[in-house]
């Protein structure tokens, strides 16, 4: 990873020193809180090298991604109690493949919720709750409840 003008590379370097920082790092992927909006339970899964979408993944990155997303979805379900975990990846604005995932709110679901996330609706943000849930997710992931196979 290099930070030569790449926002996610620079963010990745900062995460090494932040609290909670990386919630999980594997050989090919890093997991952290949502980078643009502190929505409780929302995380970003990004490649640790520059890639341009799913088609740009090498075999090892692709092999690791499916089980990693399943593991993260299970952890989000356990920690937040949400029975639904949304995922999306638009791939704009960064030379890293990244997938965002997390729970909807009980009072806002489906397209309305995702539209709010994309628009960075401040009503979805709760910095204290997002930090608390991120720490709980990091703890859950550290226990290896759902190992990557």
């Amino acid at each position: 990873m290099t930070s030569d003008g790449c926002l996610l590379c620079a963010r990745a370097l900062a995460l090494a020193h932040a609290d909670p920082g990386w919630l999980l790092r594997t050989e090919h992927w890093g997991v952290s809180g949502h980078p643009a909006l502190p929505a409780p339970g929302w995380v970003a899964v990004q490649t640790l090298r520059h890639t341009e979408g799913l088609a740009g993944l090498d075999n090892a990155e692709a092999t690791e991604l499916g089980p990693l997303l399943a593991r993260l979805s299970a952890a989000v379900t356990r920690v937040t109690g949400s029975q639904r975990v949304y995922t999306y990846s638009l791939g704009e604005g960064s030379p890293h493949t990244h997938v965002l995932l997390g729970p909807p709110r009980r009072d806002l679901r489906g397209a309305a919720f995702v539209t709010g996330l994309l628009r960075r609706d401040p009503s979805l943000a709760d910095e204290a709750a997002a930090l608390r849930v991120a720490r709980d997710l990091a703890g859950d992931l550290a226990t290896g409840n759902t190992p990557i196979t």
Side-chain angles (χ1 to χ4, degrees):
M1 232 177 330
T2 63
S3 61
D4 54 350
C6 173
L7 292 176
L8 282 185
C9 281
R11 183 172 180 274
L13 291 172
L15 285 170
H17 306 289
D19 176 20
W22 290 112
L23 307 181
L24 178 70
R25 273 189 72 166
T26 68
E27 186 175 350
H28 305 288
W29 296 90
V31 180
S32 64
H34 192 296
L37 186 70
W42 275 83
V43 298
V45 183
Q46 73 176 62
T47 52
L48 297 178
R49 71 175 182 94
H50 288 182
T51 56
E52 293 293 336
L54 294 174
L57 299 181
D58 65 26
N59 190 49
E61 291 162 336
T63 298
E64 195 175 69
L65 181 59
L68 177 59
L69 292 177
R71 178 181 177 189
L72 292 169
S73 293
V76 168
T77 297
R78 279 190 302 275
V79 168
T80 67
S82 178
Q83 295 305 303
R84 182 76 59 196
V85 177
Y86 295 168
T87 60
Y88 75 93
S89 178
L90 301 175
E92 297 294 326
S94 171
H96 290 262
T97 301
H98 55 286
V99 178
L100 300 165
L101 73 127
R105 282 195 344 204
R106 284 180 175 80
D107 63 333
L108 188 62
R109 305 179 74 78
F113 182 83
V114 173
T115 298
L117 278 175
L118 293 172
R119 290 187 177 157
R120 298 180 184 165
D121 180 340
S123 74
L124 299 178
D126 183 335
E127 206 162 325
L131 181 58
R132 185 177 61 255
V133 171
R135 288 177 179 151
D136 290 349
L137 281 170
D140 185 90
L141 293 165
T143 66
N145 283 324
T146 313
I148 296 175
T149 56

